[in-house]
Amino acid sequence: MLKIAVFGSGAGSNFRAILTAIQQGTIPDARISLVLSNNSGAGILGIARANALPAIHLSQKQFPDEQSFTDAVLSTLRDHDVNFIALAGYMKRVPPPVVAAYRGRIVNIHPALLPRFGGAGMYGIHVHEAVLASGASASGATVHYVDELYDHGQVVMQRTVPVLPGDTPETLASRVLAVEHELYPAAIRRIAENDRTAQEYIHRP
Ligand code: GRF
């Protein structure tokens, strides 16, 4: 069973898509254990509260140094028995000790076809501006494992959308976001299924 912490900073539409898939039984082997945000006013925390899920505001700014913030994140994850992290519009760097503690158990969604259009500075509308400026005929979304480098870890799943004549960064962003809402639940479902299969194999008499 994936016991998921979702980290986000904004509206939380990807989190909503994952939660809906779980509530509808599309991802039988997963549940949401908590939602964590660096932003106390983030929509993603409101969605969690409306669904009676633990909604936790944790920001580096609340702590004197990075170490004490990192310790608070790790103990929060432990207290809620989290074994998997899904970043969904989380605008902060995940502290390296958290990445290390959850290696192979932490994923992110990026609004382009990695490895192109990823890395430092490639977030939000900047990604779509760069895609249009490149003249690419397609864009899309990528779910990938998280390592210490931005947008770098192994790809779990990708989905493509066309770039259309007359696209603006905003029209492309909304076409990509619609696909993200299908892709992220599908990727988590695949990971949860693989986990279950591995557990059954390990526990077979
Ligand atoms: C998405 O476009 C995601 O790819 C990016 O941030 C955005 C989050 O949107 N990392 P939301 O908060 O899930 O609505």
Side-chain angles (χ1 to χ4, degrees):
M1 168 71 68
L2 292 190
K3 292 175 272 188
I4 305 172
V6 180
F7 287 21
S9 306
S13 67
N14 277 288
F15 164 55
R16 191 190 291 281
I18 295 165
L19 180 61
T20 301
I22 291 175
Q23 288 170 340
Q24 292 176 344
T26 315
I27 316 178
D29 304 307
R31 66 175 156 83
I32 303 296
S33 294
L34 72 93
V35 171
L36 185 150
S37 183
N38 58 299
N39 172 6
S40 61
I44 195 169
L45 290 178
I47 299 170
R49 285 193 200 103
N51 285 276
L53 292 165
I56 294 163
H57 171 225
L58 266 185
S59 161
Q60 167 79 68
K61 293 181 191 146
Q62 299 160 320
F63 297 88
D65 51 42
E66 185 165 0
Q67 184 62 53
S68 48
F69 170 64
T70 300
D71 291 346
V73 173
L74 284 171
S75 65
T76 301
L77 296 172
R78 225 174 292 122
D79 289 349
H80 291 81
D81 202 21
V82 167
N83 66 10
F84 192 83
I85 300 172
L87 308 182
Y90 188 59
M91 301 302 281
K92 297 286 175 185
R93 171 167 163 271
V94 179
V98 177
V99 174
Y102 285 85
R103 198 172 297 288
R105 311 287 300 173
I106 174 167
V107 294
N108 178 44
I109 189 158
H110 184 77
L113 296 174
L114 293 175
R116 293 195 77 192
F117 309 112
M122 280 292 172
Y123 61 90
I125 205 71
H126 304 300
V127 177
H128 308 293
E129 286 167 353
V131 171
L132 292 178
S134 77
S137 60
S139 189
T142 304
V143 174
H144 64 94
Y145 286 100
V146 171
D147 62 16
E148 282 76 5
L149 303 174
Y150 280 117
D151 304 326
H152 178 262
Q154 192 196 327
V155 170
V156 180
M157 274 175 113
Q158 288 184 311
R159 201 158 291 179
T160 301
V161 302
V163 174
L164 300 178
D167 258 342
T168 63
E170 290 75 20
T171 58
L172 181 57
S174 75
R175 192 174 311 120
V176 170
L177 190 61
V179 157
E180 290 182 46
H181 297 160
E182 295 169 11
L183 181 68
Y184 217 169
I188 290 177
R189 180 196 162 112
R190 178 183 287 180
I191 292 168
E193 269 175 12
N194 287 346
D195 245 36
R196 179 168 47 77
T197 312
Q199 287 300 320
E200 283 168 3
Y201 182 77
I202 290 163
H203 292 121
R204 207 159 48 188

PDB file of all heavy atoms in Angstrom, residues 8-16 44 87-91 108-112 123-124 128 141-142 173 176-177 180-181, ligand 1:
ATOM      1  N   GLY A   8       2.936  20.365  -2.162  1.00  0.00           N
ATOM      2  CA  GLY A   8       2.561  21.337  -3.186  1.00  0.00           C
ATOM      3  C   GLY A   8       2.609  22.748  -2.646  1.00  0.00           C
ATOM      4  O   GLY A   8       2.581  22.950  -1.427  1.00  0.00           O
ATOM      5  N   SER A   9       2.643  23.701  -3.575  1.00  0.00           N
ATOM      6  CA  SER A   9       2.717  25.117  -3.180  1.00  0.00           C
ATOM      7  C   SER A   9       1.537  25.924  -3.704  1.00  0.00           C
ATOM      8  O   SER A   9       1.375  27.083  -3.332  1.00  0.00           O
ATOM      9  CB  SER A   9       3.995  25.755  -3.741  1.00  0.00           C
ATOM     10  OG  SER A   9       5.131  25.022  -3.364  1.00  0.00           O
ATOM     11  N   GLY A  10       0.742  25.349  -4.614  1.00  0.00           N
ATOM     12  CA  GLY A  10      -0.248  26.155  -5.322  1.00  0.00           C
ATOM     13  C   GLY A  10      -1.654  25.597  -5.266  1.00  0.00           C
ATOM     14  O   GLY A  10      -2.118  25.108  -4.227  1.00  0.00           O
ATOM     15  N   ALA A  11      -2.300  25.646  -6.443  1.00  0.00           N
ATOM     16  CA  ALA A  11      -3.731  25.345  -6.523  1.00  0.00           C
ATOM     17  C   ALA A  11      -4.068  23.910  -6.149  1.00  0.00           C
ATOM     18  O   ALA A  11      -5.136  23.638  -5.587  1.00  0.00           O
ATOM     19  CB  ALA A  11      -4.212  25.623  -7.942  1.00  0.00           C
ATOM     20  N   GLY A  12      -3.213  22.987  -6.494  1.00  0.00           N
ATOM     21  CA  GLY A  12      -3.442  21.598  -6.106  1.00  0.00           C
ATOM     22  C   GLY A  12      -4.322  20.815  -7.059  1.00  0.00           C
ATOM     23  O   GLY A  12      -4.915  19.808  -6.672  1.00  0.00           O
ATOM     24  N   SER A  13      -4.371  21.240  -8.337  1.00  0.00           N
ATOM     25  CA  SER A  13      -5.255  20.513  -9.257  1.00  0.00           C
ATOM     26  C   SER A  13      -4.734  19.097  -9.525  1.00  0.00           C
ATOM     27  O   SER A  13      -5.538  18.168  -9.710  1.00  0.00           O
ATOM     28  CB  SER A  13      -5.450  21.282 -10.559  1.00  0.00           C
ATOM     29  OG  SER A  13      -4.256  21.348 -11.299  1.00  0.00           O
ATOM     30  N   ASN A  14      -3.415  18.908  -9.530  1.00  0.00           N
ATOM     31  CA  ASN A  14      -2.888  17.538  -9.692  1.00  0.00           C
ATOM     32  C   ASN A  14      -3.201  16.685  -8.464  1.00  0.00           C
ATOM     33  O   ASN A  14      -3.545  15.511  -8.593  1.00  0.00           O
ATOM     34  CB  ASN A  14      -1.384  17.561  -9.956  1.00  0.00           C
ATOM     35  CG  ASN A  14      -1.078  17.801 -11.416  1.00  0.00           C
ATOM     36  OD1 ASN A  14      -1.293  16.928 -12.248  1.00  0.00           O
ATOM     37  ND2 ASN A  14      -0.607  18.990 -11.743  1.00  0.00           N
ATOM     38  N   PHE A  15      -3.068  17.269  -7.287  1.00  0.00           N
ATOM     39  CA  PHE A  15      -3.443  16.543  -6.074  1.00  0.00           C
ATOM     40  C   PHE A  15      -4.918  16.141  -6.142  1.00  0.00           C
ATOM     41  O   PHE A  15      -5.289  15.006  -5.833  1.00  0.00           O
ATOM     42  CB  PHE A  15      -3.167  17.397  -4.827  1.00  0.00           C
ATOM     43  CG  PHE A  15      -3.862  16.897  -3.602  1.00  0.00           C
ATOM     44  CD1 PHE A  15      -3.694  15.584  -3.165  1.00  0.00           C
ATOM     45  CD2 PHE A  15      -4.707  17.728  -2.870  1.00  0.00           C
ATOM     46  CE1 PHE A  15      -4.352  15.104  -2.038  1.00  0.00           C
ATOM     47  CE2 PHE A  15      -5.363  17.267  -1.753  1.00  0.00           C
ATOM     48  CZ  PHE A  15      -5.191  15.955  -1.339  1.00  0.00           C
ATOM     49  N   ARG A  16      -5.772  17.066  -6.576  1.00  0.00           N
ATOM     50  CA  ARG A  16      -7.204  16.757  -6.662  1.00  0.00           C
ATOM     51  C   ARG A  16      -7.440  15.562  -7.602  1.00  0.00           C
ATOM     52  O   ARG A  16      -8.255  14.682  -7.329  1.00  0.00           O
ATOM     53  CB  ARG A  16      -7.992  17.975  -7.146  1.00  0.00           C
ATOM     54  CG  ARG A  16      -9.491  17.797  -7.008  1.00  0.00           C
ATOM     55  CD  ARG A  16     -10.248  18.917  -7.712  1.00  0.00           C
ATOM     56  NE  ARG A  16     -10.122  20.215  -7.086  1.00  0.00           N
ATOM     57  CZ  ARG A  16     -10.799  20.596  -5.998  1.00  0.00           C
ATOM     58  NH1 ARG A  16     -11.633  19.762  -5.422  1.00  0.00           N
ATOM     59  NH2 ARG A  16     -10.637  21.808  -5.504  1.00  0.00           N
ATOM     60  N   ILE A  44      -3.973  23.805  -2.296  1.00  0.00           N
ATOM     61  CA  ILE A  44      -3.789  22.370  -2.056  1.00  0.00           C
ATOM     62  C   ILE A  44      -4.094  22.010  -0.597  1.00  0.00           C
ATOM     63  O   ILE A  44      -4.658  20.940  -0.327  1.00  0.00           O
ATOM     64  CB  ILE A  44      -2.356  21.933  -2.482  1.00  0.00           C
ATOM     65  CG1 ILE A  44      -2.256  20.414  -2.589  1.00  0.00           C
ATOM     66  CG2 ILE A  44      -1.279  22.498  -1.554  1.00  0.00           C
ATOM     67  CD1 ILE A  44      -0.973  19.926  -3.265  1.00  0.00           C
ATOM     68  N   LEU A  87       5.423  14.959  -5.441  1.00  0.00           N
ATOM     69  CA  LEU A  87       5.507  16.415  -5.559  1.00  0.00           C
ATOM     70  C   LEU A  87       4.511  16.851  -6.639  1.00  0.00           C
ATOM     71  O   LEU A  87       4.520  16.313  -7.756  1.00  0.00           O
ATOM     72  CB  LEU A  87       6.923  16.847  -5.956  1.00  0.00           C
ATOM     73  CG  LEU A  87       8.077  16.318  -5.103  1.00  0.00           C
ATOM     74  CD1 LEU A  87       9.413  16.901  -5.613  1.00  0.00           C
ATOM     75  CD2 LEU A  87       7.879  16.652  -3.631  1.00  0.00           C
ATOM     76  N   ALA A  88       3.654  17.810  -6.279  1.00  0.00           N
ATOM     77  CA  ALA A  88       2.631  18.271  -7.226  1.00  0.00           C
ATOM     78  C   ALA A  88       2.596  19.790  -7.168  1.00  0.00           C
ATOM     79  O   ALA A  88       1.855  20.376  -6.381  1.00  0.00           O
ATOM     80  CB  ALA A  88       1.275  17.668  -6.872  1.00  0.00           C
ATOM     81  N   GLY A  89       3.464  20.416  -7.961  1.00  0.00           N
ATOM     82  CA  GLY A  89       3.557  21.870  -7.940  1.00  0.00           C
ATOM     83  C   GLY A  89       4.245  22.377  -6.689  1.00  0.00           C
ATOM     84  O   GLY A  89       3.903  23.445  -6.185  1.00  0.00           O
ATOM     85  N   TYR A  90       5.231  21.629  -6.192  1.00  0.00           N
ATOM     86  CA  TYR A  90       6.009  22.069  -5.018  1.00  0.00           C
ATOM     87  C   TYR A  90       7.146  22.945  -5.519  1.00  0.00           C
ATOM     88  O   TYR A  90       8.006  22.476  -6.267  1.00  0.00           O
ATOM     89  CB  TYR A  90       6.534  20.851  -4.262  1.00  0.00           C
ATOM     90  CG  TYR A  90       7.186  21.176  -2.931  1.00  0.00           C
ATOM     91  CD1 TYR A  90       6.467  21.820  -1.929  1.00  0.00           C
ATOM     92  CD2 TYR A  90       8.506  20.822  -2.670  1.00  0.00           C
ATOM     93  CE1 TYR A  90       7.055  22.104  -0.701  1.00  0.00           C
ATOM     94  CE2 TYR A  90       9.098  21.100  -1.450  1.00  0.00           C
ATOM     95  CZ  TYR A  90       8.358  21.744  -0.473  1.00  0.00           C
ATOM     96  OH  TYR A  90       8.937  22.028   0.749  1.00  0.00           O
ATOM     97  N   MET A  91       7.148  24.210  -5.112  1.00  0.00           N
ATOM     98  CA  MET A  91       8.073  25.189  -5.699  1.00  0.00           C
ATOM     99  C   MET A  91       9.386  25.311  -4.925  1.00  0.00           C
ATOM    100  O   MET A  91      10.192  26.189  -5.240  1.00  0.00           O
ATOM    101  CB  MET A  91       7.403  26.565  -5.784  1.00  0.00           C
ATOM    102  CG  MET A  91       6.140  26.570  -6.623  1.00  0.00           C
ATOM    103  SD  MET A  91       6.427  26.027  -8.314  1.00  0.00           S
ATOM    104  CE  MET A  91       7.119  27.529  -9.007  1.00  0.00           C
ATOM    105  N   ASN A 108       7.841  13.349  -9.126  1.00  0.00           N
ATOM    106  CA  ASN A 108       7.427  14.724  -9.431  1.00  0.00           C
ATOM    107  C   ASN A 108       6.726  14.711 -10.783  1.00  0.00           C
ATOM    108  O   ASN A 108       6.952  13.812 -11.592  1.00  0.00           O
ATOM    109  CB  ASN A 108       8.670  15.624  -9.510  1.00  0.00           C
ATOM    110  CG  ASN A 108       8.341  17.066  -9.866  1.00  0.00           C
ATOM    111  OD1 ASN A 108       7.390  17.645  -9.328  1.00  0.00           O
ATOM    112  ND2 ASN A 108       9.109  17.648 -10.775  1.00  0.00           N
ATOM    113  N   ILE A 109       5.876  15.714 -11.011  1.00  0.00           N
ATOM    114  CA  ILE A 109       5.334  15.902 -12.360  1.00  0.00           C
ATOM    115  C   ILE A 109       5.871  17.204 -12.924  1.00  0.00           C
ATOM    116  O   ILE A 109       5.924  18.218 -12.229  1.00  0.00           O
ATOM    117  CB  ILE A 109       3.786  15.848 -12.386  1.00  0.00           C
ATOM    118  CG1 ILE A 109       3.294  15.823 -13.839  1.00  0.00           C
ATOM    119  CG2 ILE A 109       3.154  16.993 -11.586  1.00  0.00           C
ATOM    120  CD1 ILE A 109       1.904  15.259 -14.019  1.00  0.00           C
ATOM    121  N   HIS A 110       6.314  17.134 -14.186  1.00  0.00           N
ATOM    122  CA  HIS A 110       6.900  18.303 -14.852  1.00  0.00           C
ATOM    123  C   HIS A 110       6.114  18.555 -16.140  1.00  0.00           C
ATOM    124  O   HIS A 110       5.837  17.609 -16.890  1.00  0.00           O
ATOM    125  CB  HIS A 110       8.374  18.030 -15.168  1.00  0.00           C
ATOM    126  CG  HIS A 110       9.070  19.205 -15.769  1.00  0.00           C
ATOM    127  ND1 HIS A 110       9.487  20.279 -15.019  1.00  0.00           N
ATOM    128  CD2 HIS A 110       9.381  19.497 -17.057  1.00  0.00           C
ATOM    129  CE1 HIS A 110      10.040  21.182 -15.814  1.00  0.00           C
ATOM    130  NE2 HIS A 110       9.995  20.733 -17.051  1.00  0.00           N
ATOM    131  N   PRO A 111       5.785  19.837 -16.430  1.00  0.00           N
ATOM    132  CA  PRO A 111       4.894  20.112 -17.565  1.00  0.00           C
ATOM    133  C   PRO A 111       5.611  20.216 -18.916  1.00  0.00           C
ATOM    134  O   PRO A 111       5.394  21.171 -19.660  1.00  0.00           O
ATOM    135  CB  PRO A 111       4.241  21.440 -17.162  1.00  0.00           C
ATOM    136  CG  PRO A 111       5.287  22.130 -16.365  1.00  0.00           C
ATOM    137  CD  PRO A 111       6.039  21.035 -15.634  1.00  0.00           C
ATOM    138  N   ALA A 112       6.472  19.254 -19.226  1.00  0.00           N
ATOM    139  CA  ALA A 112       7.133  19.185 -20.536  1.00  0.00           C
ATOM    140  C   ALA A 112       7.663  17.766 -20.701  1.00  0.00           C
ATOM    141  O   ALA A 112       7.591  16.946 -19.780  1.00  0.00           O
ATOM    142  CB  ALA A 112       8.268  20.202 -20.642  1.00  0.00           C
ATOM    143  N   TYR A 123      10.230  26.311 -14.720  1.00  0.00           N
ATOM    144  CA  TYR A 123       9.026  26.020 -13.944  1.00  0.00           C
ATOM    145  C   TYR A 123       7.915  26.943 -14.427  1.00  0.00           C
ATOM    146  O   TYR A 123       8.179  27.988 -15.048  1.00  0.00           O
ATOM    147  CB  TYR A 123       9.276  26.202 -12.432  1.00  0.00           C
ATOM    148  CG  TYR A 123       9.667  27.606 -12.066  1.00  0.00           C
ATOM    149  CD1 TYR A 123       8.698  28.556 -11.741  1.00  0.00           C
ATOM    150  CD2 TYR A 123      11.005  28.001 -12.085  1.00  0.00           C
ATOM    151  CE1 TYR A 123       9.050  29.864 -11.442  1.00  0.00           C
ATOM    152  CE2 TYR A 123      11.357  29.304 -11.791  1.00  0.00           C
ATOM    153  CZ  TYR A 123      10.377  30.229 -11.472  1.00  0.00           C
ATOM    154  OH  TYR A 123      10.730  31.522 -11.191  1.00  0.00           O
ATOM    155  N   GLY A 124       6.687  26.527 -14.157  1.00  0.00           N
ATOM    156  CA  GLY A 124       5.524  27.352 -14.488  1.00  0.00           C
ATOM    157  C   GLY A 124       5.509  27.761 -15.954  1.00  0.00           C
ATOM    158  O   GLY A 124       5.869  26.984 -16.846  1.00  0.00           O
ATOM    159  N   HIS A 128       6.622  26.631 -20.814  1.00  0.00           N
ATOM    160  CA  HIS A 128       5.823  26.702 -22.046  1.00  0.00           C
ATOM    161  C   HIS A 128       6.361  27.794 -22.988  1.00  0.00           C
ATOM    162  O   HIS A 128       6.335  27.634 -24.201  1.00  0.00           O
ATOM    163  CB  HIS A 128       4.348  26.906 -21.689  1.00  0.00           C
ATOM    164  CG  HIS A 128       3.867  25.891 -20.697  1.00  0.00           C
ATOM    165  ND1 HIS A 128       3.757  24.552 -21.009  1.00  0.00           N
ATOM    166  CD2 HIS A 128       3.561  25.993 -19.379  1.00  0.00           C
ATOM    167  CE1 HIS A 128       3.370  23.887 -19.942  1.00  0.00           C
ATOM    168  NE2 HIS A 128       3.240  24.736 -18.925  1.00  0.00           N
ATOM    169  N   ALA A 141       3.772  16.074 -20.708  1.00  0.00           N
ATOM    170  CA  ALA A 141       4.038  16.047 -19.272  1.00  0.00           C
ATOM    171  C   ALA A 141       4.826  14.792 -18.950  1.00  0.00           C
ATOM    172  O   ALA A 141       4.732  13.781 -19.657  1.00  0.00           O
ATOM    173  CB  ALA A 141       2.721  16.066 -18.498  1.00  0.00           C
ATOM    174  N   THR A 142       5.609  14.896 -17.879  1.00  0.00           N
ATOM    175  CA  THR A 142       6.480  13.797 -17.464  1.00  0.00           C
ATOM    176  C   THR A 142       6.325  13.558 -15.965  1.00  0.00           C
ATOM    177  O   THR A 142       6.422  14.510 -15.183  1.00  0.00           O
ATOM    178  CB  THR A 142       7.965  14.148 -17.733  1.00  0.00           C
ATOM    179  OG1 THR A 142       8.138  14.470 -19.110  1.00  0.00           O
ATOM    180  CG2 THR A 142       8.883  12.997 -17.346  1.00  0.00           C
ATOM    181  N   ALA A 173      -0.104  25.751 -21.751  1.00  0.00           N
ATOM    182  CA  ALA A 173      -0.101  25.322 -20.341  1.00  0.00           C
ATOM    183  C   ALA A 173      -1.402  24.616 -19.997  1.00  0.00           C
ATOM    184  O   ALA A 173      -1.395  23.579 -19.313  1.00  0.00           O
ATOM    185  CB  ALA A 173       0.098  26.527 -19.419  1.00  0.00           C
ATOM    186  N   VAL A 176      -1.509  21.137 -21.540  1.00  0.00           N
ATOM    187  CA  VAL A 176      -0.604  20.224 -20.811  1.00  0.00           C
ATOM    188  C   VAL A 176      -1.209  19.849 -19.453  1.00  0.00           C
ATOM    189  O   VAL A 176      -1.195  18.678 -19.051  1.00  0.00           O
ATOM    190  CB  VAL A 176       0.796  20.854 -20.633  1.00  0.00           C
ATOM    191  CG1 VAL A 176       1.652  20.030 -19.687  1.00  0.00           C
ATOM    192  CG2 VAL A 176       1.496  21.004 -21.982  1.00  0.00           C
ATOM    193  N   LEU A 177      -1.774  20.840 -18.758  1.00  0.00           N
ATOM    194  CA  LEU A 177      -2.316  20.565 -17.409  1.00  0.00           C
ATOM    195  C   LEU A 177      -3.435  19.524 -17.465  1.00  0.00           C
ATOM    196  O   LEU A 177      -3.520  18.635 -16.599  1.00  0.00           O
ATOM    197  CB  LEU A 177      -2.823  21.865 -16.763  1.00  0.00           C
ATOM    198  CG  LEU A 177      -3.191  21.791 -15.290  1.00  0.00           C
ATOM    199  CD1 LEU A 177      -1.993  21.387 -14.420  1.00  0.00           C
ATOM    200  CD2 LEU A 177      -3.767  23.119 -14.790  1.00  0.00           C
ATOM    201  N   GLU A 180      -1.789  16.312 -17.572  1.00  0.00           N
ATOM    202  CA  GLU A 180      -1.184  15.990 -16.263  1.00  0.00           C
ATOM    203  C   GLU A 180      -2.197  15.296 -15.359  1.00  0.00           C
ATOM    204  O   GLU A 180      -1.857  14.374 -14.617  1.00  0.00           O
ATOM    205  CB  GLU A 180      -0.694  17.270 -15.576  1.00  0.00           C
ATOM    206  CG  GLU A 180       0.499  17.917 -16.230  1.00  0.00           C
ATOM    207  CD  GLU A 180       0.950  19.160 -15.470  1.00  0.00           C
ATOM    208  OE1 GLU A 180       1.044  19.111 -14.231  1.00  0.00           O
ATOM    209  OE2 GLU A 180       1.197  20.197 -16.122  1.00  0.00           O
ATOM    210  N   HIS A 181      -3.449  15.764 -15.429  1.00  0.00           N
ATOM    211  CA  HIS A 181      -4.477  15.224 -14.528  1.00  0.00           C
ATOM    212  C   HIS A 181      -4.822  13.776 -14.847  1.00  0.00           C
ATOM    213  O   HIS A 181      -5.396  13.081 -14.005  1.00  0.00           O
ATOM    214  CB  HIS A 181      -5.724  16.106 -14.583  1.00  0.00           C
ATOM    215  CG  HIS A 181      -5.473  17.501 -14.091  1.00  0.00           C
ATOM    216  ND1 HIS A 181      -6.283  18.565 -14.388  1.00  0.00           N
ATOM    217  CD2 HIS A 181      -4.462  17.994 -13.316  1.00  0.00           C
ATOM    218  CE1 HIS A 181      -5.794  19.659 -13.816  1.00  0.00           C
ATOM    219  NE2 HIS A 181      -4.694  19.335 -13.169  1.00  0.00           N
TER     220      HIS A 181
HETATM  221  C1  GRF B   1       1.749  21.725 -12.772  1.00  0.00           C
HETATM  222  O1  GRF B   1       1.795  22.277 -14.045  1.00  0.00           O
HETATM  223  C2  GRF B   1       2.967  20.871 -12.526  1.00  0.00           C
HETATM  224  O2  GRF B   1       3.424  20.245 -13.686  1.00  0.00           O
HETATM  225  C3  GRF B   1       3.972  21.876 -12.055  1.00  0.00           C
HETATM  226  O3  GRF B   1       3.232  22.772 -11.255  1.00  0.00           O
HETATM  227  C4  GRF B   1       1.868  22.772 -11.668  1.00  0.00           C
HETATM  228  C5  GRF B   1       1.032  22.457 -10.468  1.00  0.00           C
HETATM  229  O4  GRF B   1      -0.318  22.742 -10.637  1.00  0.00           O
HETATM  230  N1  GRF B   1       5.076  21.214 -11.396  1.00  0.00           N
HETATM  231  P1  GRF B   1      -1.357  22.264  -9.534  1.00  0.00           P
HETATM  232  O5  GRF B   1      -0.983  22.926  -8.193  1.00  0.00           O
HETATM  233  O6  GRF B   1      -1.322  20.779  -9.444  1.00  0.00           O
HETATM  234  O7  GRF B   1      -2.691  22.786 -10.017  1.00  0.00           O
END
